[in-house]
């Protein structure tokens, strides 16, 4: 009897189950526009075993780039880009890199400052109006600098449980900026502007709106013109134009913390149109960007100095490295020294980029799976320590 | 565990003999993940159906105390589908106008399955496996407003709208401990 009940349950489950999308392996073909010498890199085995270890623990796929002045650039991959079609991940494969876009947003705002189009100490309310200012506490007082540094105190809409459940309720919804901001309306600010620092996606949505207001075009078009094209980041784009670009690695989520994953490639519609997420790239392009930024190729050294002006939160997180907030960038104190970094999540994706100023070691890794048990292998302090220990000599 | 099952599902059966007829309740509902009492109707619609019966513990002119036993199924696109056995203790006030508000407190068992292809990590790699589903505890609290079509008939059919808030536990240990949902039911209760 028990067996029959079980068979009926399984039959119902199977009958109502979406099958995976059949995709030709050539869909994931990609290539770099440089001569890849990773195979001859002194640390090739070490780096490869680092990412192989991630996939051996349950991460679906990983791409990574490591730059060191002495050994040059290494790129590698491990695991799968697509489980349904059994396609291996390649080092050039693109994936969603979520909030790492905030460093691009901040860089663009700083470039606008260099062009004399804004002052960092201008209030955001000098540029934006309506509900975004009237209904978000502190928005009338916060400056552009405070939004960049997460010191505005403005409530982070992602923390709103109503948003989180609404997002689950409609996984494939494509959210517009105003719909997301509504989850921050009439919410108490964390503190007075400038008093402390606390991460807020809401502030970065507003910064995207600021870029659009000043430039009169979508902020992601400004990213393209001022950063992507300028640096030749051929594999980098923003999700707004093409939500699921050709060749993107499939994303997977471990929703129930049991290493049983389902595909989530189409589930990140909340960051298609806002400057707090939505970037699609690969670790090669991101490594190029981070090094160019830190070497003064995108913004002037004096502007970079502003970007790297730090504020430390009043409360420390015992589960993470000691951290300070810059303008769209963080400084962490690791056992191997100071690193500048930004990480980012999307649904089924995670990426992290780190730059060590003492020797310019630059490490970027991206994975196409997250949540549940997978997070401990990619985004925790322990996971990052493992990456840093293997890559920072 | 068996004691709980007895109270929820077996004990009510002993009350069958007290009834001249058996009330049957059929409702169609829209399920959503949401914080209880913050949303009413949500889109997109995630359809569900519930069939149940009720056993009366005490009945007065305008009120009754009862227990329901229900079987239900919902399909939440891209997230999960669930099949459940569920019982509720309820109180109904029946106004002479035919309107009848109720409150119900429930507990049940739910088995959920993925609605998309699932891959299981085994021996260092992911494999396609038959989804055996996940076991959940299914507590709920509901409020409904019903209308008895024949005001003077105690066995009258009743149409009702029910706002049911419920939780799925455990959901994702160490990640999301509990998931809350709401179901908005439109149903009919009749006797056979």
């Amino acid at each position: 009897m028990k067996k029959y009940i079980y068979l009926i349950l399984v039959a119902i489950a199977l009958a109502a189950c979406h099958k995976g999308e059949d995709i030709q392996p050539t869909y994931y073909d990609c290539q770099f526009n440089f001569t890849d010498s990773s195979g001859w890199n002194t640390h090739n085995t070490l780096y490869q075993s680092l990412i192989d270890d991630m996939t051996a623990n349950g991460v679906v796929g990983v791409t990574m780039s490591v730059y060191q002045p002495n050994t040059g650039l290494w790129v590698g991959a491990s695991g799968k880009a697509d489980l349904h079609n059994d396609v291996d991940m390649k080092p050039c494969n693109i994936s969603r890199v979520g909030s790492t876009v905030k460093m691009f947003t901040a860089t663009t705002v700083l470039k606008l400052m260099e062009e004399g189009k804004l002052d960092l100490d201008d209030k955001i309310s000098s540029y934006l109006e309506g509900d975004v200012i009237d209904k978000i506490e502190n928005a009338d007082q916060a400056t552009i600098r405070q939004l960049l540094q997460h010191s505005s105190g403005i409530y982070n809409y992602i923390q709103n449980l109503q948003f989180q459940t609404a997002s689950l309720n409609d996984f494939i919804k494509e959210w517009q900026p105003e719909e997301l901001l509504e989850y921050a309306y009439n919410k108490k600010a964390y503190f007075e502007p400038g008093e402390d620092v606390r991460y807020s996606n809401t502030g970065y949505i507003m910064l995207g709106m600021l870029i659009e207001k000043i430039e009169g075009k979508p902020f992601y078009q400004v990213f393209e013109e001022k950063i992507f094209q300028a640096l030749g980041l051929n594999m980098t784009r923003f999700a707004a134009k093409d939500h699921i670009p050709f060749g993107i690695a499939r994303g997977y989520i471990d929703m129930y913390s049991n290493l049983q994953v389902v595909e989530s490639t189409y589930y990140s519609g909340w960051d298609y149109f806002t400057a707090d997420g939505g970037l699609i790239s690969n670790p090669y392009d991101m490594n190029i960007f981070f090094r160019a930024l830190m070497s003064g190729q995108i913004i002037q050294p004096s502007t970079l100095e502003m970007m790297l002006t730090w504020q430390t939160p009043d409360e420390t997180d015992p589960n993470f490295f000691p951290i300070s907030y810059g303008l769209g960038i963080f400084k962490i104190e690791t056992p191997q020294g100071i690193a500048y970094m930004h990480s980012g999540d999307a649904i089924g994706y995670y990426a992290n980029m780190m730059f060590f100023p003492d020797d310019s070691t630059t490490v970027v890794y991206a994975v196409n799976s997250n949540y549940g048990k997978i997070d401990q292998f990619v985004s925790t302090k322990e996971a990052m320590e493992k990456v840093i220990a293997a890559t920072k000599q | 565990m068996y004691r709980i099952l007895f109270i929820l599902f077996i004990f009510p059966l002993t009350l069958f003999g007290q009834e001249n007829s058996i009330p049957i309740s059929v409702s169609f509902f829209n399920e959503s993940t949401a914080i209880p009492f913050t949303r009413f109707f949500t889109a997109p619609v995630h359809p569900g159906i519930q069939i149940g019966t009720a056993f009366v513990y005490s009945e007065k002119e305008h009120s009754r105390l009862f227990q329901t036993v229900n079987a239900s199924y919902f399909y939440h696109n891209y997230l999960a589908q669930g099949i459940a056995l569920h019982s509720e203790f309820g109180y109904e006030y029946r106004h002479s106008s035919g309107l009848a508000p109720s409150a119900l407190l429930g507990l049940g068992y739910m088995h959920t399955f993925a609605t998309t292809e699932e891959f299981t990590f085994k021996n260092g790699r992911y494999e396609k496996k038959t989804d055996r589903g996940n076991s959940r505890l299914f507590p709920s609290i509901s409020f409904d407003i019903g209308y008895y079509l024949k005001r003077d008939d105690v066995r009258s059919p009743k149409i009702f709208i029910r706002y049911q808030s419920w939780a799925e536990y455990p959901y994702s240990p160490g990640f999301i401990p509990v998931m809350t949902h709401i179901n908005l039911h439109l149903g009919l209760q009749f006797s056979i």
Side-chain angles (χ1 to χ4, degrees), chain A residues 48-60:
Chain A
Q48 188 61 47
S49 48
L50 171 72
I51 56 177
D52 286 346
D53 190 50
M54 283 188 192
T55 52
N57 279 310
V59 179
V60 174

Side-chain angles (χ1 to χ4, degrees), chain A residues 206-238:
Chain A
M206 293 163 79
L207 290 168
M209 296 166 99
L210 169 73
I211 294 168
E212 293 186 344
K213 179 85 177 182
I214 290 173
E215 293 294 274
K217 58 180 99 167
F219 66 84
Y220 44 86
Q221 199 176 319
V222 184
F223 289 176
E224 280 172 19
E225 292 165 6
K226 293 189 186 297
I227 303 175
F228 304 166
Q229 289 165 10
L231 294 177
L233 307 181
N234 299 322
M235 303 291 275
T236 302
R237 73 283 315 271
F238 196 82

Side-chain angles (χ1 to χ4, degrees), chain A residues 6 9 13 16-18 20 56 58 84 162 165 168-171 183 255-257 259-262 267 371, chain B residues 32-33 39 46 75-78 81 83 113 115-119 121 126 128 132 134 136 172-173 175 179:
Chain A
Y6 176 70
L9 290 178
C17 188
H18 294 277
H84 176 75
Q162 287 188 46
T165 50
L168 286 175
N169 197 50
D170 190 358
F171 258 142
Y183 288 95
M255 198 69 193
Y256 302 131
S257 296
L259 291 183
Q260 290 177 353
V261 299
V262 294
Y267 296 176
Y371 295 172
Chain B
S32 66
T33 51
R39 292 282 185 274
H46 301 298
Y75 183 88
H76 185 129
N77 207 7
Y78 301 110
Q81 52 187 324
I83 190 158
F113 297 90
T115 56
T116 53
E117 190 174 43
E118 194 170 70
F119 300 89
F121 192 66
Y126 281 98
K128 281 181 207 175
R132 300 176 73 91
N134 298 288
R136 306 282 194 241
S172 180
F175 180 50
M179 179 56 65

Side-chain angles (χ1 to χ4, degrees), chain A residues 25-266:
Chain A
T26 51
Y27 174 87
Y28 299 99
D29 284 351
C30 55
Q31 55 188 28
F32 290 122
N33 56 3
F34 71 101
T35 309
D36 180 10
S37 60
S38 303
W40 292 275
N41 190 296
T42 322
H43 305 298
N44 181 43
T45 311
L46 177 66
Y47 297 159
Q48 188 61 47
S49 48
L50 171 72
I51 56 177
D52 286 346
D53 190 50
M54 283 188 192
T55 52
N57 279 310
V59 179
V60 174
V62 189
T63 51
M64 188 166 85
S65 67
V66 183
Y67 171 81
Q68 284 186 327
N70 296 335
T71 54
L73 184 69
W74 179 91
V75 289
S78 182
K80 299 290 176 185
D82 182 334
L83 289 173
H84 176 75
N85 298 290
D86 193 26
V87 182
D88 289 340
M89 184 73 92
K90 298 176 188 66
C92 50
N93 280 146
I94 54 171
S95 62
R96 298 188 192 285
V97 294
S99 287
T100 58
V101 78
K102 291 186 175 76
M103 207 185 283
F104 290 74
T105 306
T107 302
T108 305
V109 170
L110 291 169
K111 278 191 80 68
L112 294 176
M113 181 205 72
E114 287 180 346
E115 291 166 14
K117 294 175 177 169
L118 59 84
D119 188 299
L120 289 191
D121 294 315
D122 287 342
K123 288 181 178 172
I124 191 71
S125 55
S126 305
Y127 298 87
L128 306 181
E129 57 188 8
D131 287 349
V132 62
I133 300 300
D134 300 338
K135 293 188 176 175
I136 295 179
E137 200 172 301
N138 284 8
D140 59 336
Q141 292 300 314
T143 64
I144 295 168
R145 187 190 303 274
Q146 288 165 344
L147 293 177
L148 288 168
Q149 198 157 25
H150 299 283
S151 61
S152 70
I154 287 175
Y155 178 80
N156 186 0
Y157 75 91
I158 283 185
Q159 296 289 317
N160 189 329
L161 290 175
Q162 287 188 46
F163 167 71
Q164 293 171 11
T165 50
S167 171
L168 286 175
N169 197 50
D170 190 358
F171 258 142
I172 57 167
K173 178 179 168 67
E174 293 172 9
W175 296 76
Q176 295 302 316
E178 295 73 17
E179 292 177 290
L180 296 171
L181 289 173
E182 278 177 21
Y183 288 95
Y185 286 174
N186 307 313
K187 289 286 183 184
K188 197 168 165 42
Y190 299 128
F191 44 78
E192 290 295 309
E195 222 174 54
D196 195 0
V197 280
R198 182 160 168 177
Y199 197 84
S200 177
N201 285 69
T202 314
Y204 272 75
I205 294 184
M206 293 163 79
L207 290 168
M209 296 166 99
L210 169 73
I211 294 168
E212 293 186 344
K213 179 85 177 182
I214 290 173
E215 293 294 274
K217 58 180 99 167
F219 66 84
Y220 44 86
Q221 199 176 319
V222 184
F223 289 176
E224 280 172 19
E225 292 165 6
K226 293 189 186 297
I227 303 175
F228 304 166
Q229 289 165 10
L231 294 177
L233 307 181
N234 299 322
M235 303 291 275
T236 302
R237 73 283 315 271
F238 196 82
K241 277 189 174 172
D242 186 0
H243 310 327
I244 319 290
F246 196 82
I248 189 169
R250 305 289 99 176
Y252 298 89
I253 46 175
D254 177 21
M255 198 69 193
Y256 302 131
S257 296
N258 54 9
L259 291 183
Q260 290 177 353
V261 299
V262 294
E263 195 190 321
S264 63
T265 313
Y266 293 83

Side-chain angles (χ1 to χ4, degrees), chain A residues 335-374:
Chain A
Q336 272 74 22
I338 295 291
Y340 303 152
M341 56 88 60
H342 211 301
S343 60
D345 269 296
I347 299 179
Y349 301 90
Y350 171 82
N352 195 342
M353 50 182 182
M354 293 179 277
F355 175 87
F356 292 84
D358 64 341
D359 66 355
S360 299
T361 294
T362 311
V363 182
V364 183
Y365 62 99
V367 303
N368 63 335
S369 50
N370 64 352
Y371 295 172
K373 280 191 175 168
I374 292 176

